[in-house]
Amino acid sequence: MPQRPAPKFELVARCVDIPMSKVQDLFDMMDRSRDVSFATFARRTNWQPVASRLGCAVGSQKGLHLKDDYHVGYKRSTWRGHPCYYLDHSRIEHIFVAPDHPDFH
């Protein structure tokens, strides 16, 4: 029986939306982060809706694509004890977690 691919990580928060009570979680996530390539980030996350909201082209659309935007970095880390990925767009972290993460619901 073929193995199903892991579900894509989904956007759960942006740093600007995090309440003060969770700011230390944000700092911990950034302290533990490691760079990843756009290819890894794209494979593991549902990034297209965020790219569209940031004004980037998606797929065959003409314009600036997220992977070509020098203001963007891609990271993996943990968010509140669980694996996460995040993109740093002009110093705003967009945090993606697995759909079974407690904060996702």
Side-chain angles (χ1 to χ4, degrees), residues 26-61:
L26 180 65
F27 293 148
D28 292 344
M29 177 193 75
M30 291 186 295
D31 287 344
R32 289 188 294 268
S33 70
R34 300 289 179 257
D35 291 337
V36 297
S37 67
F38 173 77
T40 297
F41 183 82
R43 186 173 57 253
R44 298 300 314 267
T45 67
N46 184 21
W47 60 273
Q48 295 93 336
V50 174
S52 291
R53 283 192 298 264
L54 294 173
C56 292
V58 176
S60 62
Q61 293 176 331

Side-chain angles (χ1 to χ4, degrees), residues 24-94:
Q24 188 59 50
D25 294 330
L26 180 65
F27 293 148
D28 292 344
M29 177 193 75
M30 291 186 295
D31 287 344
R32 289 188 294 268
S33 70
R34 300 289 179 257
D35 291 337
V36 297
S37 67
F38 173 77
T40 297
F41 183 82
R43 186 173 57 253
R44 298 300 314 267
T45 67
N46 184 21
W47 60 273
Q48 295 93 336
V50 174
S52 291
R53 283 192 298 264
L54 294 173
C56 292
V58 176
S60 62
Q61 293 176 331
K62 291 184 183 199
L64 178 65
H65 286 79
L66 195 62
K67 68 180 177 65
D68 300 322
D69 188 339
Y70 67 90
H71 291 102
V72 180
Y74 311 97
K75 311 277 186 178
R76 70 176 167 86
S77 188
T78 57
W79 174 248
R80 302 187 71 206
H82 299 270
C84 75
Y85 288 87
Y86 68 94
L87 73 86
D88 178 342
H89 179 271
S90 297
R91 304 310 304 162
I92 296 177
E93 290 80 20
H94 296 73

